[in-house]
Amino acid sequence: MSRATRDDVLVAAFEDQRTRLTAVAYRMLGSQSDAEDAVQEAWLRLARHDSDAIDNLAGWLTTVVSRVCIDALRSRTSRPVTSFDDRLPYLVVTDPDAGPESDALLTDSVGLAMLVVLDTLRPAERLAFVLHDMFAVPFDEIALILDRSVEASRMLASRARRKVQGAAPPQDRRPRSAVVDAFLSAARDGNFAALLRLLDPEVAWRHFSPEGPASLIGASEIAHQVMQGIGAAVMTQPVLVNGEPGIVARTPSGEPVAVAACAVVGGRIVEMLSLRDPARLKRMNLPAPASRD
C-alpha cells in the first residue's frame, strides 16, 4: 500500500470515529469548541504516531481524547478564571410540543442542568462516569487511562454517579418549565422580589454575543440586570434548549434575536445562558415562530 493510500485510509478511519470522540469530549469539557479542539489534538497525535502499531484505533483514540480532556479539566481547576466565560455549550433548540420526533435532535446534546452537575465532579470522577455510564467503556480500559486500579476506577464512577443522581433534575420537565414561566412573568411585571425568590443565591448567567462572552454571578445582580431590560420590544417563544426550558426572543417581525435557557434544580434557577449572536443564530435550526391569529 502506498503512503498516500495509507494516509487516506487513516483519515477515513479517524473520520469514522470523529462524532463519537467529539461526543465524549463534549461531555467531559462541556464546551463544543473545547471538544473539537481535543479531537483535533488527537488527530495531530495520530498523524505523528506509527498507525501500524495501533491494534485498536477506536480504543487508542478514546484514550488520547480522554487524557487531553482530563489535562484540560485539571488546568481549569488550577486556573478557574480562564475556564468559565468562554465555554458555550452545544445548543439544540426544539419545540416543546414536537413530541418524540425531536428526541433524535437531542442525541448529541447535554442538558444545561446536567452540565452544571458534571462541573462539580473532580476530573477523574468525571472521566470515569462519562466513559463508563455514558459510553459503556469497561473499567479495565478506564483504569489504564487514569493510571489507577480497576477497583479505584469503579469507585470513582460510583462516587460520581451518587453525586449526579442526587443533584440532577427529575425527568419530568413540567415543574422546571413552571419555574421558568414564573421567572418570565416576574420579569414582565418588574417584580424584583419574585425574581429573587426564583433565583438560586449563587446563580450564574453566561451571555454570549459578537462582543464576546460575559457573565454575572448572584441573584441580586442578575435580577437588577433583568429589570433593566423591561420594555424591550421582543416576543418570547417557549422552546427546549438541550431538553431544558428556554425561549427564543424574536422581533415583532419574527426575526430571532436571542436564545436563552435556564437550568433549574430544586425549584430555583441555578444557571442561565443566553446567546445573542446573529451569525450563530442563523446557523441554528430554530423552531418556526408561533403562528399569530
Side-chain angles (χ1 to χ4, degrees):
M1 183 185 297
S2 68
R3 174 62 183 271
T5 302
R6 185 161 43 212
D7 288 347
D8 290 342
V9 170
L10 189 63
V11 169
F14 178 81
E15 290 302 324
D16 285 343
Q17 297 293 323
R18 182 184 290 275
T19 299
R20 183 184 63 84
L21 294 171
T22 303
V24 170
Y26 175 60
R27 284 154 179 77
M28 284 291 298
L29 300 174
S31 161
Q32 187 69 9
S33 61
D34 287 354
E36 291 170 354
D37 288 345
V39 173
Q40 182 62 22
E41 175 62 24
W43 164 250
L44 293 175
R45 295 188 187 186
L46 177 62
R48 296 192 298 263
H49 197 83
D50 179 10
S51 58
D52 292 336
I54 301 174
D55 294 328
N56 179 355
L57 181 62
W60 189 90
L61 288 170
T62 299
T63 297
V64 172
V65 167
S66 298
R67 287 175 175 167
V68 170
C69 288
I70 201 166
D71 286 345
L73 289 175
R74 287 167 175 163
S75 178
R76 287 180 188 174
T77 302
S78 62
R79 293 181 287 115
V81 174
T82 66
S83 65
F84 180 73
D85 292 338
D86 58 348
R87 290 189 284 138
L88 176 64
Y90 176 63
L91 301 181
V92 177
V93 182
T94 55
D95 187 336
D97 299 321
E101 61 267 26
S102 67
D103 290 347
L105 296 174
L106 296 172
T107 300
D108 291 330
S109 72
V110 180
L112 302 180
M114 176 59 79
L115 289 177
V116 172
V117 176
L118 290 176
D119 274 344
T120 67
L121 302 178
R122 295 178 179 177
E125 291 176 340
R126 187 166 183 169
L127 186 142
F129 175 78
V130 167
L131 290 184
H132 183 266
D133 286 43
M134 294 184 171
F135 292 93
V137 176
F139 280 118
D140 56 346
E141 296 181 22
I142 296 172
L144 291 174
I145 295 171
L146 290 172
D147 193 22
R148 302 195 186 194
S149 69
V150 171
E151 186 57 32
S153 300
R154 197 186 306 274
M155 290 180 64
L156 285 169
S158 177
R159 189 183 308 147
R161 194 177 304 117
R162 288 195 299 271
K163 292 179 181 179
V164 170
Q165 291 172 346
Q171 292 297 313
D172 187 356
R173 69 171 66 99
R174 287 173 296 181
R176 306 201 301 279
S177 295
V179 171
V180 176
D181 290 343
F183 180 81
L184 293 173
S185 178
R188 286 191 295 268
D189 296 341
N191 189 334
F192 185 80
L195 291 174
L196 288 180
R197 286 196 299 271
L198 294 162
L199 293 169
D200 184 88
E202 301 300 320
V203 60
W205 182 2
R206 290 190 284 162
H207 176 68
F208 298 85
S209 70
E211 289 73 36
S215 66
L216 283 175
I217 305 292
S220 180
E221 289 80 359
I222 291 174
H224 280 294
Q225 183 69 28
V226 170
M227 296 287 285
Q228 293 178 16
I230 292 175
V234 295
M235 303 178 299
T236 58
Q237 174 188 4
V239 295
L240 296 177
V241 182
N242 293 18
E244 306 281 359
I247 63 166
V248 173
R250 299 181 183 272
T251 65
S253 64
E255 288 296 313
V257 294
V259 167
C262 299
V264 178
V265 177
R268 284 185 168 184
I269 297 172
V270 298
E271 181 166 2
M272 302 171 63
L273 182 146
S274 58
L275 173 65
R276 186 185 291 267
D277 185 330
R280 281 174 166 161
L281 291 172
K282 188 174 182 179
R283 294 195 298 268
M284 295 174 69
N285 183 25
L286 300 176
S291 60
R292 289 177 291 171
D293 296 329

